[in-house]
Amino acid sequence: MAITGDAVALPKPGRALKSARLLLRPLRVDDLAEMQRYAVDPAFWRWLPLPPLTAGAVAEFHAARMADADAPDRWLWAIEPLALQRICGTIELRTRDAANAAADMGWGLDAGQQGKGYMTEAAAMVLRFALSDDAGFERVWAVADVDNEASWRVMERIGMRREGTLRRHACRRGEWRDDHLYAAVRGDVLPAL
């Protein structure tokens, strides 16, 4: 299907999530320019296992996510603070082990919007959705570089527990790095946020 104009992904369970401050919604064609603005900043991609991001690489990511927006094994949300009326990042939930109802989460946030609680709020909404009957996962996990304290603190604030450290887990621009592994399972008591 060709995506043109302001086309968005067709809805599927849990496709849009909303809080008092945030709208988590499908990615749109008109989000590309904003993604390119923040994602080329080294502070944005510093912890990602990718080469430095260029506007072209961000356009390729955007096109790929638009093309697979209806994939049954992943949900990608644009994070739009209602006060900004533009996206400031994305958060994704991916099925990693369907037989065991396990998924992982990953995210990226505009460096200029960090420290405002947006990612904690977005991750909490996605985690609650993932462990609900709507999504049906039993286990959700996420990883963050051992030096990426901001990300692993988000995981702790939303109720995920550190399960260990994955040594030499990801190669980031030629350097093998350790990641902390966090998870939550259905039935865990998650903090109110």
Side-chain angles (χ1 to χ4, degrees), residues 40-59:
V40 298
D41 180 349
F44 173 83
W45 51 259
R46 175 181 181 193
W47 301 111
L48 299 175
L50 302 168
L53 293 176
T54 63
V58 175

Side-chain angles (χ1 to χ4, degrees), residues 33-103:
E34 188 59 24
M35 284 183 82
Q36 287 173 315
R37 183 197 62 74
Y38 69 73
V40 298
D41 180 349
F44 173 83
W45 51 259
R46 175 181 181 193
W47 301 111
L48 299 175
L50 302 168
L53 293 176
T54 63
V58 175
E60 288 175 17
F61 171 86
H62 180 271
R65 295 295 78 81
M66 292 295 294
D68 68 8
D70 294 326
D73 62 342
R74 77 181 331 144
W75 291 262
L76 176 73
W77 291 272
I79 301 168
E80 182 179 320
L82 298 174
L84 291 179
Q85 297 187 337
R86 61 180 167 80
I87 71 166
C88 67
T90 59
I91 186 166
E92 187 171 23
L93 178 69
R94 299 168 292 238
T95 303
R96 291 298 189 188
D97 183 353
N100 289 304

Side-chain angles (χ1 to χ4, degrees), residues 145-165:
D145 187 283
V146 295
D147 291 330
N148 185 358
E149 185 174 351
S151 272
W152 50 264
R153 291 284 184 219
V154 165
M155 296 175 209
E156 291 172 350
R157 283 192 293 275
I158 67 171
M160 298 179 97
R161 297 180 194 166
R162 186 182 297 181
E163 295 187 334
T165 300

Side-chain angles (χ1 to χ4, degrees), residues 22-40:
L22 296 179
L23 174 62
L24 303 185
R25 60 159 173 82
L27 195 60
R28 297 189 310 237
V29 170
D30 64 354
D31 292 326
L32 176 58
E34 188 59 24
M35 284 183 82
Q36 287 173 315
R37 183 197 62 74
Y38 69 73
V40 298

Side-chain angles (χ1 to χ4, degrees), residues 90-131:
T90 59
I91 186 166
E92 187 171 23
L93 178 69
R94 299 168 292 238
T95 303
R96 291 298 189 188
D97 183 353
N100 289 304
D104 79 334
M105 291 176 27
W107 52 73
L109 185 69
D110 178 350
Q113 298 302 319
Q114 292 175 5
K116 299 177 181 180
Y118 293 147
M119 190 51 69
T120 299
E121 195 170 324
M125 285 192 288
V126 171
L127 182 61
R128 281 178 168 67
F129 164 71
L131 296 174

